[in-house]
């Protein structure tokens, strides 16, 4: 069960002295996010416990109206070449199909997904360094970069990394010499 939403529902019902038993005391609540990407954190929880704690498994879900964003704003940028726009569109469609469970249909919710070659990390010797290079560029140009917007638009996420410390142990060679703030 989604504890935060349940607690909010009960609190607002009490505050509003809700006798109609409307969710959230009759107040409109807006939730944002992609339920395919952001699952609740249940330390040591099983897959079933994690899925059952999501909002769309809650008794409140039947009262929710789902609005979907349908326009990929990255594709509206005038700064993209036709090839870049096509690549972003194809990747966006593929990742949505993965999230919607449309890959290798029919399936029972579990399936093996063939990841396209261009998305694979092929550097078996230094995979973390390879990811860093792809996201941030080579370490020498990274050291020279002082533009905060460069870093604001980049991140490496590893939410289910078996050993998170392994992801953070890597520092580009030139970054080891001095830290940047």
């Amino acid at each position: 069960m989604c504890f935060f939403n349940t607690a909010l529902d009960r609190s607002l019902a009490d505050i509003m002295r809700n006798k109609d038993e409307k969710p959230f005391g009759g107040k409109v609540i807006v939730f944002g996010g992609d339920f395919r990407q952001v699952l609740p954190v249940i330390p040591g929880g099983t897959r079933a416990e994690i899925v059952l704690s999501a909002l769309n498994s809650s008794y409140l879900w039947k009262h929710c109206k789902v609005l979907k964003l349908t326009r990929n704003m990255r594709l509206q940028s005038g700064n993209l070449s036709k090839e870049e726009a096509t690549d972003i569109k194809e990747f966006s469609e593929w990742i949505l199909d993965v999230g919607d469970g449309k890959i290798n249909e029919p399936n029972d919710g579990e399936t093996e997904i063939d990841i396209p070659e261009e998305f694979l990390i092929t550097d078996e010797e230094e995979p973390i360094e390879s990811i860093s290079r792809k996201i941030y560029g080579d370490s020498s140009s990274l050291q020279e970069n002082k533009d905060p917007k460069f870093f604001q638009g980049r991140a490496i996420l590893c939410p289910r990394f078996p050993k998170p410390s392994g992801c953070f142990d890597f520092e580009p060679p030139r970054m080891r010499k001095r830290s940047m703030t």
Side-chain angles (χ1 to χ4, degrees):
M1 177 174 285
C2 191
F3 298 108
F4 168 77
N5 298 314
T6 302
L8 181 61
D9 176 42
R10 290 178 183 165
S11 296
L12 286 174
D14 288 346
I15 292 167
M16 299 308 300
R17 294 181 173 87
N18 188 12
K19 294 179 176 74
D20 299 335
E21 303 218 7
K22 291 181 181 176
F24 303 107
K27 296 295 180 189
V28 174
I29 304 294
V30 178
F31 297 102
D34 185 341
F35 297 111
R36 292 173 296 226
Q37 293 182 11
V38 184
L39 289 173
V41 175
I42 308 292
T46 65
R47 178 180 175 169
E49 290 170 326
I50 292 169
V51 169
L52 288 173
S53 69
L55 176 61
N56 53 359
S57 296
S58 167
Y59 69 91
L60 295 164
W61 187 248
K62 65 183 174 192
H63 302 286
C64 293
K65 180 177 181 178
V66 177
L67 304 174
K68 295 183 178 185
L69 301 177
T70 57
R71 183 176 295 155
N72 188 334
M73 296 309 290
R74 288 186 194 177
L75 299 177
Q76 306 302 312
S77 169
N79 300 335
L80 296 176
S81 70
K82 190 171 184 167
E83 182 180 317
E84 288 172 320
T86 301
D87 287 348
I88 290 172
K89 185 175 190 296
E90 287 174 0
F91 176 75
S92 298
E93 289 170 356
W94 178 78
I95 204 77
L96 284 172
D97 286 344
V98 169
D100 288 337
K102 293 180 180 176
I103 303 292
N104 294 341
E105 282 189 311
N107 63 62
D108 62 357
E110 286 192 33
T111 188
E112 289 189 14
I113 298 172
D114 291 322
I115 300 174
E117 188 74 29
E118 65 265 21
F119 304 144
L120 296 176
I121 301 169
T122 55
D123 184 349
E124 294 180 22
E125 295 288 322
E126 297 290 342
I128 304 299
E129 184 175 347
S130 176
I131 293 169
S132 177
R133 246 190 337 274
K134 183 73 174 172
I135 302 300
Y136 296 107
D138 67 72
S139 59
S140 60
S141 63
L142 179 62
Q143 186 70 23
E144 307 301 317
N145 197 327
K146 305 289 186 217
D147 181 13
K149 291 189 187 257
F150 174 82
F151 295 99
Q152 290 172 353
R154 291 166 171 77
I156 300 174
L157 304 176
C158 50
R160 302 277 303 200
F161 202 86
K163 183 183 169 199
S165 63
C167 190
F168 302 111
D169 288 344
F170 169 75
E171 286 182 71
R174 295 186 138 217
M175 297 295 283
R176 288 187 198 121
K177 292 180 183 176
R178 65 169 204 219
S179 64
M180 289 175 42
T181 56

